[in-house]
Amino acid sequence: MCAAHKRSAAAGIALAVAVLAGCAPDPSPAAQQAAPSPSTADPAAAVAWMNGFCGAVKDFIEGNNKMPSASGETVEAIKKSTSDQLGHYAAILSKTVDGLGALPAAPVPAGDAAKREFLAKYTSARDKTVKAKAGLDGAGKNDTAAQGRAVDGLIAAQKDTHSALDPVAAVLGAPELKTAAATAERCRP
């Protein structure tokens, strides 16, 4: 066997021993340069993603601030007023769910985790609101218990959303997104 084959055979055996031992050789300098760091995010992409994330939540907050007031002096008028509130809340929640769902993959994993958490909370709130409205709208004209169930459904939905009102706080553990939030227009108060 020639000397070159003996060296490559010895190198192959050494590599096999290292792999079986749970070790791997260091990648070549070219391979190290080609592999991007998983924590390095394109700053422009991070700002764009944060604009979308903050924007979806900001739109919800603005819509929530325009919630119609409860009013009415008769059971029927109060029922209609509550139904209007639930309809408004369901609409802004649906818009928020759609906005969060339309976000592309985040530039770092912490963004995707925050998106999943917020999306779950807003989806839950929307579903509770839609159910409460359907129950109220399907109730009899003088069914005051339906009114109470509808209000309970609205309060439960609001509890879900109240823990998802600060998108910046949700990404503070990701330096790339924290930095992006500082310059993202929709993340400003």
Side-chain angles (χ1 to χ4, degrees):
M1 194 183 261
C2 70
H5 287 324
K6 285 182 184 175
R7 272 189 249 132
S8 68
I13 292 170
L15 177 61
V17 169
V19 170
L20 290 174
C23 301
D26 289 336
S28 69
Q32 288 176 343
Q33 288 176 343
S37 169
S39 64
T40 303
D42 172 24
V47 169
W49 192 87
M50 282 305 300
N51 258 329
F53 187 51
C54 291
V57 176
K58 192 171 196 173
D59 289 346
F60 167 77
I61 293 168
E62 290 171 356
N64 190 48
N65 290 339
K66 296 175 184 173
M67 176 85 89
S69 303
S71 61
E73 295 188 18
T74 65
V75 172
E76 192 172 345
I78 294 170
K79 179 181 175 183
K80 181 185 178 331
S81 174
T82 303
S83 179
D84 290 346
Q85 283 185 315
L86 290 166
H88 174 83
Y89 206 57
I92 61 173
L93 287 165
S94 290
K95 181 179 176 187
T96 305
V97 167
D98 291 347
L100 290 170
L103 284 173
V108 295
D112 288 326
K115 173 186 166 180
R116 279 191 304 275
E117 178 185 344
F118 275 51
L119 192 54
K121 290 178 181 183
Y122 282 104
T123 300
S124 174
R126 180 202 58 201
D127 294 350
K128 288 174 183 173
T129 303
V130 167
K131 181 179 176 184
K133 181 173 175 26
L136 181 63
D137 292 348
K141 180 177 169 182
N142 294 315
D143 186 350
T144 55
Q147 177 73 24
R149 288 189 302 273
V151 170
D152 290 344
L154 179 59
I155 291 169
Q158 289 172 333
K159 285 180 183 177
D160 287 343
T161 62
H162 285 177
S163 61
L165 294 176
D166 190 351
V168 176
V171 298
L172 287 179
E176 300 89 348
L177 295 180
K178 181 180 173 184
T179 300
T183 58
E185 185 177 331
R186 300 291 321 263
C187 293
R188 296 181 189 144

